[in-house]
Amino acid sequence: MTMKEYSLEEQLEYQKRLNNITNRIHSARDTNAILLELQSDLLGFFDAERLTIYVVDRVKREIFSKIMTGQEVAEIRVGINSSSLAGYCAACGKLFNIKDVYNDEELKRIDPRLTFDRSWDQKTGYRTREVLLTPITYENKFLLGVVQLINKKNGGPFSPADESSVLDIAKVLGIAFYKNQKAAQKARSTKFDYLISYNIVTEKDLAEAMSRARTAKKSIESVLMSDFNVSKDDIGRSLANYFQTQYIPYKDNLPIPGELLKNLKVSFLKSNVFVPVGESDGKVTVAMENPNYLPARDTIKRIIKAREIEYCVSTREDIFQMIGMFFDVDRKELLAGSGSIDEIIGQLESAEDEDEDEPSGVAEDDSAIVQLVNKMIVDAYTRKASDIHVEPGQGKKNAVIRYRIDGACQVYQTIPHTYKNAIVSRLKIMSDLDISERRKPQDGKIKFSKFAPLDIELRVATIPTAGQNEDVVMRILAAGEPIPLSAMGMSERSYDTLISMITKPYGIVLVVGPTGSGKTTTLHAALGYINKPETKIWTAEDPVEITQEGLRQVQVAPKIGFNFATAMRAFLRADPDVIMVGEMRDKETVSTGIEASLTGHLVFSTLHTNSAPETITRLLDMGMDPFNFADALLGVLAQRLVRTLCKDCKEKYHPTIEEYNGLVRAYDGDFDALGFPYSDDFMLYKAAGCSKCANTGYRGRTGIHELLAGTDEMKSLIQGKAKMEDLRAQAIRDGMTTLMQDGIRKVCLGLTDLAQVRRVCIK
């Protein structure tokens, strides 16, 4: 019914009721309180069943329910985007009157991306039908929230009169919200305004937290997190909002700013509650508890000679944790005799004017260099890094140390150029390499237990680089236990087929992939599955990383002629049932392995190839007899490791049909067999970032696999030296899913995203 269809008397009464509501909102000092009082009046005025008033959270780019008549959930938060009706209204800034939210065609007429999240109705048991939404703005410029009315009590749609009235109410609310925000800013200005403004804590909660903090002699921030369940991210937003600067939380992978810490003492930094955290393009970033405290800023300016200093905020506890990590306060006991960072750098002599053609003025056996190298290795181990990269800069540029964690490199620390040569020399001494030879690459190993109480081994490679420098790359080979084969993340077909292969009495099984793709881990998982008292298993490895009871494990030593081929020939004289060879690097090792598999032994090994079909052509190119090889082959498992999305912060989203079609094209096979049809319920996940994953959005890795089985048809192709394309086609006919296909399966399962899969494989 339109206003024209009302009688004059009814129109006057309607306008009177509307004016009463808007006047009460306009004149109220506390908008929240008056809205709570007016809930029933507003519902009655619009003859609606439910009302929700959302307010904007600008930091998170979300809207959250400030006033809500339904009692099923405490709070609703949605992004300002097309993932929800209210979020879409906020994003578009327009009024929407929807007659049936379950009518997809009606929603698509508004916007093809628009969907209604039916999970709210499923959770609450309430059936949403009609929805009237309009944004709350101030002067049509500043978005402040959204008004949402749900379901006319008479079952009909919201009328044009309702649309006009809700616009009037939204306009008045916009003025009231804007005035309240300004008044609140003037009346109260504390570090925790954000928490109160967005209903994270009440003023009563904050007062109680302050009281408890005084009694326990703790910071208010720590009490809010421990006693009032306030997240660290919300604390950071509140501090950043108050101080109008960047918030820097403690993360255990923060690069250590070695040069900035020179001549600074732990006690001095703790007493002034600040710490430098990095430098970029001449600008030094400093974390402070109170960036507005001018005496502390003056002190920082005096001791840190920089063109520009950015004063950022952090909590007292986080600053102390950063100091503890930067200066090795927490690990002094582990590295006996090792000093803190300031002590280490203080011991190093300055050599700014040295000739670049001469060795560094700092000796490789200097105690500070010894301590610094030990600390670098221990930190890499505690952060679960797989590799350490030492990268000296040219000329007087600093050296950079990077760690590879979960397959991605991260900067750990910068080292002043004056002792980059000493660090490289120290690592070469620890690896028993020739420190006088700087013109050609060298390989070695570090048994770190000789130098510190930590039982790990490192594989070391030195490579000459421009500017008469040498890069050093170290792979950490930490001793570990085998992972169960069932935990490797294989598809059901691949798992069952692999079990069938490794339980055969003889034959050869190869696991292939680039360095660091988890081949050894998979082999040990397979050995763990068949490791029984009645089975004799010999392994030749370089080095022995994973140990298992029941295996007889041998460390090869190529320098003295004890290589994989020699070890395998020795095993054949030692009554084996199963032989595992760490790597088939040459024709002799491969030939011996095939001969062993044809004489009644089960042989496992690895190879560096890109795919399972390519492995066969590579071995044939090496001169293997195709008939013997075909008879011996049980299967080839190719694998890669992809970074997995952080379970604590990954975000669910509904992909567009274009994105879905992109997945189908990349799959390049029978995508329908996966069982993921495109529908409103089809969801993917994307990286977000939180404190637990160092704001990368990824934490941990999982494997993707392709398993080529040695079927009769495959053996016939091998005997005929078929092309790799023919081998791949036959493997797919036999049921093999490619690396890309297995990766896309894990994307659809929400474990990773397509970008990570594309990083490690092509097909």
Side-chain angles (χ1 to χ4, degrees), residues 382-397:
T382 56
R383 297 185 190 188
K384 299 182 179 178
S386 60
D387 301 88
I388 306 170
H389 298 254
V390 181
E391 302 166 345
Q394 293 193 43
K396 292 193 175 183
K397 290 184 178 179

mmCIF file with all atom_site columns, all heavy atoms in Angstrom, residues 382-397:
data_model
loop_
_atom_site.group_PDB
_atom_site.id
_atom_site.type_symbol
_atom_site.label_atom_id
_atom_site.label_alt_id
_atom_site.label_comp_id
_atom_site.label_asym_id
_atom_site.label_entity_id
_atom_site.label_seq_id
_atom_site.pdbx_PDB_ins_code
_atom_site.Cartn_x
_atom_site.Cartn_y
_atom_site.Cartn_z
_atom_site.occupancy
_atom_site.B_iso_or_equiv
_atom_site.pdbx_formal_charge
_atom_site.auth_seq_id
_atom_site.auth_comp_id
_atom_site.auth_asym_id
_atom_site.auth_atom_id
_atom_site.pdbx_PDB_model_num
ATOM 1   N N   . THR A 1 382 ? 65.017 -24.070 16.007 1.00 0.00 ? 382 THR A N   1
ATOM 2   C CA  . THR A 1 382 ? 63.838 -23.802 16.842 1.00 0.00 ? 382 THR A CA  1
ATOM 3   C C   . THR A 1 382 ? 62.682 -23.237 16.030 1.00 0.00 ? 382 THR A C   1
ATOM 4   O O   . THR A 1 382 ? 61.521 -23.416 16.394 1.00 0.00 ? 382 THR A O   1
ATOM 5   C CB  . THR A 1 382 ? 64.184 -22.826 17.985 1.00 0.00 ? 382 THR A CB  1
ATOM 6   O OG1 . THR A 1 382 ? 64.738 -21.620 17.430 1.00 0.00 ? 382 THR A OG1 1
ATOM 7   C CG2 . THR A 1 382 ? 65.189 -23.441 18.935 1.00 0.00 ? 382 THR A CG2 1
ATOM 8   N N   . ARG A 1 383 ? 62.972 -22.582 14.913 1.00 0.00 ? 383 ARG A N   1
ATOM 9   C CA  . ARG A 1 383 ? 61.907 -22.042 14.057 1.00 0.00 ? 383 ARG A CA  1
ATOM 10  C C   . ARG A 1 383 ? 61.467 -23.038 12.990 1.00 0.00 ? 383 ARG A C   1
ATOM 11  O O   . ARG A 1 383 ? 60.688 -22.702 12.099 1.00 0.00 ? 383 ARG A O   1
ATOM 12  C CB  . ARG A 1 383 ? 62.369 -20.747 13.391 1.00 0.00 ? 383 ARG A CB  1
ATOM 13  C CG  . ARG A 1 383 ? 62.658 -19.649 14.397 1.00 0.00 ? 383 ARG A CG  1
ATOM 14  C CD  . ARG A 1 383 ? 62.992 -18.346 13.703 1.00 0.00 ? 383 ARG A CD  1
ATOM 15  N NE  . ARG A 1 383 ? 63.504 -17.364 14.647 1.00 0.00 ? 383 ARG A NE  1
ATOM 16  C CZ  . ARG A 1 383 ? 63.725 -16.102 14.354 1.00 0.00 ? 383 ARG A CZ  1
ATOM 17  N NH1 . ARG A 1 383 ? 63.474 -15.656 13.132 1.00 0.00 ? 383 ARG A NH1 1
ATOM 18  N NH2 . ARG A 1 383 ? 64.197 -15.258 15.259 1.00 0.00 ? 383 ARG A NH2 1
ATOM 19  N N   . LYS A 1 384 ? 62.010 -24.260 13.051 1.00 0.00 ? 384 LYS A N   1
ATOM 20  C CA  . LYS A 1 384 ? 61.632 -25.344 12.136 1.00 0.00 ? 384 LYS A CA  1
ATOM 21  C C   . LYS A 1 384 ? 61.966 -25.000 10.687 1.00 0.00 ? 384 LYS A C   1
ATOM 22  O O   . LYS A 1 384 ? 61.200 -25.288 9.765  1.00 0.00 ? 384 LYS A O   1
ATOM 23  C CB  . LYS A 1 384 ? 60.148 -25.685 12.282 1.00 0.00 ? 384 LYS A CB  1
ATOM 24  C CG  . LYS A 1 384 ? 59.788 -26.174 13.680 1.00 0.00 ? 384 LYS A CG  1
ATOM 25  C CD  . LYS A 1 384 ? 58.322 -26.541 13.792 1.00 0.00 ? 384 LYS A CD  1
ATOM 26  C CE  . LYS A 1 384 ? 58.001 -27.046 15.200 1.00 0.00 ? 384 LYS A CE  1
ATOM 27  N NZ  . LYS A 1 384 ? 56.579 -27.380 15.371 1.00 0.00 ? 384 LYS A NZ  1
ATOM 28  N N   . ALA A 1 385 ? 63.117 -24.356 10.500 1.00 0.00 ? 385 ALA A N   1
ATOM 29  C CA  . ALA A 1 385 ? 63.583 -24.064 9.141  1.00 0.00 ? 385 ALA A CA  1
ATOM 30  C C   . ALA A 1 385 ? 64.190 -25.321 8.534  1.00 0.00 ? 385 ALA A C   1
ATOM 31  O O   . ALA A 1 385 ? 64.765 -26.158 9.237  1.00 0.00 ? 385 ALA A O   1
ATOM 32  C CB  . ALA A 1 385 ? 64.612 -22.937 9.169  1.00 0.00 ? 385 ALA A CB  1
ATOM 33  N N   . SER A 1 386 ? 64.069 -25.466 7.222  1.00 0.00 ? 386 SER A N   1
ATOM 34  C CA  . SER A 1 386 ? 64.690 -26.599 6.535  1.00 0.00 ? 386 SER A CA  1
ATOM 35  C C   . SER A 1 386 ? 66.070 -26.235 5.994  1.00 0.00 ? 386 SER A C   1
ATOM 36  O O   . SER A 1 386 ? 66.922 -27.107 5.853  1.00 0.00 ? 386 SER A O   1
ATOM 37  C CB  . SER A 1 386 ? 63.798 -27.080 5.394  1.00 0.00 ? 386 SER A CB  1
ATOM 38  O OG  . SER A 1 386 ? 63.590 -26.033 4.450  1.00 0.00 ? 386 SER A OG  1
ATOM 39  N N   . ASP A 1 387 ? 66.278 -24.941 5.679  1.00 0.00 ? 387 ASP A N   1
ATOM 40  C CA  . ASP A 1 387 ? 67.550 -24.501 5.101  1.00 0.00 ? 387 ASP A CA  1
ATOM 41  C C   . ASP A 1 387 ? 67.954 -23.155 5.678  1.00 0.00 ? 387 ASP A C   1
ATOM 42  O O   . ASP A 1 387 ? 67.099 -22.342 6.061  1.00 0.00 ? 387 ASP A O   1
ATOM 43  C CB  . ASP A 1 387 ? 67.432 -24.366 3.578  1.00 0.00 ? 387 ASP A CB  1
ATOM 44  C CG  . ASP A 1 387 ? 67.044 -25.668 2.907  1.00 0.00 ? 387 ASP A CG  1
ATOM 45  O OD1 . ASP A 1 387 ? 65.837 -25.933 2.783  1.00 0.00 ? 387 ASP A OD1 1
ATOM 46  O OD2 . ASP A 1 387 ? 67.952 -26.416 2.527  1.00 0.00 ? 387 ASP A OD2 1
ATOM 47  N N   . ILE A 1 388 ? 69.269 -22.916 5.691  1.00 0.00 ? 388 ILE A N   1
ATOM 48  C CA  . ILE A 1 388 ? 69.833 -21.619 6.080  1.00 0.00 ? 388 ILE A CA  1
ATOM 49  C C   . ILE A 1 388 ? 70.637 -21.112 4.891  1.00 0.00 ? 388 ILE A C   1
ATOM 50  O O   . ILE A 1 388 ? 71.484 -21.833 4.356  1.00 0.00 ? 388 ILE A O   1
ATOM 51  C CB  . ILE A 1 388 ? 70.751 -21.740 7.312  1.00 0.00 ? 388 ILE A CB  1
ATOM 52  C CG1 . ILE A 1 388 ? 70.036 -22.425 8.470  1.00 0.00 ? 388 ILE A CG1 1
ATOM 53  C CG2 . ILE A 1 388 ? 71.270 -20.373 7.735  1.00 0.00 ? 388 ILE A CG2 1
ATOM 54  C CD1 . ILE A 1 388 ? 70.959 -22.797 9.625  1.00 0.00 ? 388 ILE A CD1 1
ATOM 55  N N   . HIS A 1 389 ? 70.384 -19.869 4.490  1.00 0.00 ? 389 HIS A N   1
ATOM 56  C CA  . HIS A 1 389 ? 71.106 -19.262 3.367  1.00 0.00 ? 389 HIS A CA  1
ATOM 57  C C   . HIS A 1 389 ? 71.922 -18.072 3.886  1.00 0.00 ? 389 HIS A C   1
ATOM 58  O O   . HIS A 1 389 ? 71.361 -17.123 4.437  1.00 0.00 ? 389 HIS A O   1
ATOM 59  C CB  . HIS A 1 389 ? 70.124 -18.767 2.304  1.00 0.00 ? 389 HIS A CB  1
ATOM 60  C CG  . HIS A 1 389 ? 69.298 -19.850 1.690  1.00 0.00 ? 389 HIS A CG  1
ATOM 61  N ND1 . HIS A 1 389 ? 69.507 -20.317 0.410  1.00 0.00 ? 389 HIS A ND1 1
ATOM 62  C CD2 . HIS A 1 389 ? 68.265 -20.580 2.176  1.00 0.00 ? 389 HIS A CD2 1
ATOM 63  C CE1 . HIS A 1 389 ? 68.641 -21.279 0.145  1.00 0.00 ? 389 HIS A CE1 1
ATOM 64  N NE2 . HIS A 1 389 ? 67.872 -21.458 1.203  1.00 0.00 ? 389 HIS A NE2 1
ATOM 65  N N   . VAL A 1 390 ? 73.232 -18.146 3.725  1.00 0.00 ? 390 VAL A N   1
ATOM 66  C CA  . VAL A 1 390 ? 74.119 -17.034 4.094  1.00 0.00 ? 390 VAL A CA  1
ATOM 67  C C   . VAL A 1 390 ? 74.534 -16.357 2.798  1.00 0.00 ? 390 VAL A C   1
ATOM 68  O O   . VAL A 1 390 ? 75.201 -16.975 1.954  1.00 0.00 ? 390 VAL A O   1
ATOM 69  C CB  . VAL A 1 390 ? 75.342 -17.533 4.880  1.00 0.00 ? 390 VAL A CB  1
ATOM 70  C CG1 . VAL A 1 390 ? 76.240 -16.359 5.268  1.00 0.00 ? 390 VAL A CG1 1
ATOM 71  C CG2 . VAL A 1 390 ? 74.901 -18.297 6.127  1.00 0.00 ? 390 VAL A CG2 1
ATOM 72  N N   . GLU A 1 391 ? 74.153 -15.076 2.634  1.00 0.00 ? 391 GLU A N   1
ATOM 73  C CA  . GLU A 1 391 ? 74.313 -14.386 1.356  1.00 0.00 ? 391 GLU A CA  1
ATOM 74  C C   . GLU A 1 391 ? 75.077 -13.077 1.545  1.00 0.00 ? 391 GLU A C   1
ATOM 75  O O   . GLU A 1 391 ? 74.483 -12.030 1.824  1.00 0.00 ? 391 GLU A O   1
ATOM 76  C CB  . GLU A 1 391 ? 72.927 -14.105 0.750  1.00 0.00 ? 391 GLU A CB  1
ATOM 77  C CG  . GLU A 1 391 ? 72.102 -15.372 0.543  1.00 0.00 ? 391 GLU A CG  1
ATOM 78  C CD  . GLU A 1 391 ? 70.637 -15.092 0.264  1.00 0.00 ? 391 GLU A CD  1
ATOM 79  O OE1 . GLU A 1 391 ? 70.213 -13.952 0.504  1.00 0.00 ? 391 GLU A OE1 1
ATOM 80  O OE2 . GLU A 1 391 ? 69.918 -16.004 -0.167 1.00 0.00 ? 391 GLU A OE2 1
ATOM 81  N N   . PRO A 1 392 ? 76.421 -13.102 1.415  1.00 0.00 ? 392 PRO A N   1
ATOM 82  C CA  . PRO A 1 392 ? 77.205 -11.867 1.557  1.00 0.00 ? 392 PRO A CA  1
ATOM 83  C C   . PRO A 1 392 ? 76.895 -10.881 0.435  1.00 0.00 ? 392 PRO A C   1
ATOM 84  O O   . PRO A 1 392 ? 76.730 -11.280 -0.722 1.00 0.00 ? 392 PRO A O   1
ATOM 85  C CB  . PRO A 1 392 ? 78.659 -12.362 1.477  1.00 0.00 ? 392 PRO A CB  1
ATOM 86  C CG  . PRO A 1 392 ? 78.591 -13.837 1.711  1.00 0.00 ? 392 PRO A CG  1
ATOM 87  C CD  . PRO A 1 392 ? 77.262 -14.279 1.197  1.00 0.00 ? 392 PRO A CD  1
ATOM 88  N N   . GLY A 1 393 ? 76.806 -9.596  0.773  1.00 0.00 ? 393 GLY A N   1
ATOM 89  C CA  . GLY A 1 393 ? 76.594 -8.574  -0.238 1.00 0.00 ? 393 GLY A CA  1
ATOM 90  C C   . GLY A 1 393 ? 77.897 -8.159  -0.886 1.00 0.00 ? 393 GLY A C   1
ATOM 91  O O   . GLY A 1 393 ? 78.987 -8.389  -0.355 1.00 0.00 ? 393 GLY A O   1
ATOM 92  N N   . GLN A 1 394 ? 77.795 -7.523  -2.062 1.00 0.00 ? 394 GLN A N   1
ATOM 93  C CA  . GLN A 1 394 ? 79.000 -7.072  -2.753 1.00 0.00 ? 394 GLN A CA  1
ATOM 94  C C   . GLN A 1 394 ? 79.552 -5.818  -2.100 1.00 0.00 ? 394 GLN A C   1
ATOM 95  O O   . GLN A 1 394 ? 78.796 -4.968  -1.619 1.00 0.00 ? 394 GLN A O   1
ATOM 96  C CB  . GLN A 1 394 ? 78.689 -6.800  -4.222 1.00 0.00 ? 394 GLN A CB  1
ATOM 97  C CG  . GLN A 1 394 ? 78.345 -8.065  -5.011 1.00 0.00 ? 394 GLN A CG  1
ATOM 98  C CD  . GLN A 1 394 ? 78.341 -7.812  -6.503 1.00 0.00 ? 394 GLN A CD  1
ATOM 99  O OE1 . GLN A 1 394 ? 79.221 -7.134  -7.028 1.00 0.00 ? 394 GLN A OE1 1
ATOM 100 N NE2 . GLN A 1 394 ? 77.352 -8.353  -7.195 1.00 0.00 ? 394 GLN A NE2 1
ATOM 101 N N   . GLY A 1 395 ? 80.870 -5.707  -2.102 1.00 0.00 ? 395 GLY A N   1
ATOM 102 C CA  . GLY A 1 395 ? 81.498 -4.517  -1.543 1.00 0.00 ? 395 GLY A CA  1
ATOM 103 C C   . GLY A 1 395 ? 81.187 -4.353  -0.069 1.00 0.00 ? 395 GLY A C   1
ATOM 104 O O   . GLY A 1 395 ? 81.359 -5.267  0.734  1.00 0.00 ? 395 GLY A O   1
ATOM 105 N N   . LYS A 1 396 ? 80.703 -3.157  0.291  1.00 0.00 ? 396 LYS A N   1
ATOM 106 C CA  . LYS A 1 396 ? 80.413 -2.874  1.691  1.00 0.00 ? 396 LYS A CA  1
ATOM 107 C C   . LYS A 1 396 ? 78.944 -3.078  2.038  1.00 0.00 ? 396 LYS A C   1
ATOM 108 O O   . LYS A 1 396 ? 78.449 -2.551  3.030  1.00 0.00 ? 396 LYS A O   1
ATOM 109 C CB  . LYS A 1 396 ? 80.844 -1.451  2.030  1.00 0.00 ? 396 LYS A CB  1
ATOM 110 C CG  . LYS A 1 396 ? 82.353 -1.265  1.996  1.00 0.00 ? 396 LYS A CG  1
ATOM 111 C CD  . LYS A 1 396 ? 82.773 0.055   2.627  1.00 0.00 ? 396 LYS A CD  1
ATOM 112 C CE  . LYS A 1 396 ? 84.292 0.149   2.687  1.00 0.00 ? 396 LYS A CE  1
ATOM 113 N NZ  . LYS A 1 396 ? 84.749 1.386   3.363  1.00 0.00 ? 396 LYS A NZ  1
ATOM 114 N N   . LYS A 1 397 ? 78.242 -3.842  1.203  1.00 0.00 ? 397 LYS A N   1
ATOM 115 C CA  . LYS A 1 397 ? 76.852 -4.171  1.520  1.00 0.00 ? 397 LYS A CA  1
ATOM 116 C C   . LYS A 1 397 ? 76.814 -5.293  2.551  1.00 0.00 ? 397 LYS A C   1
ATOM 117 O O   . LYS A 1 397 ? 77.637 -6.203  2.529  1.00 0.00 ? 397 LYS A O   1
ATOM 118 C CB  . LYS A 1 397 ? 76.096 -4.591  0.261  1.00 0.00 ? 397 LYS A CB  1
ATOM 119 C CG  . LYS A 1 397 ? 75.856 -3.444  -0.712 1.00 0.00 ? 397 LYS A CG  1
ATOM 120 C CD  . LYS A 1 397 ? 75.018 -3.907  -1.895 1.00 0.00 ? 397 LYS A CD  1
ATOM 121 C CE  . LYS A 1 397 ? 74.746 -2.747  -2.846 1.00 0.00 ? 397 LYS A CE  1
ATOM 122 N NZ  . LYS A 1 397 ? 73.953 -3.173  -4.027 1.00 0.00 ? 397 LYS A NZ  1
#
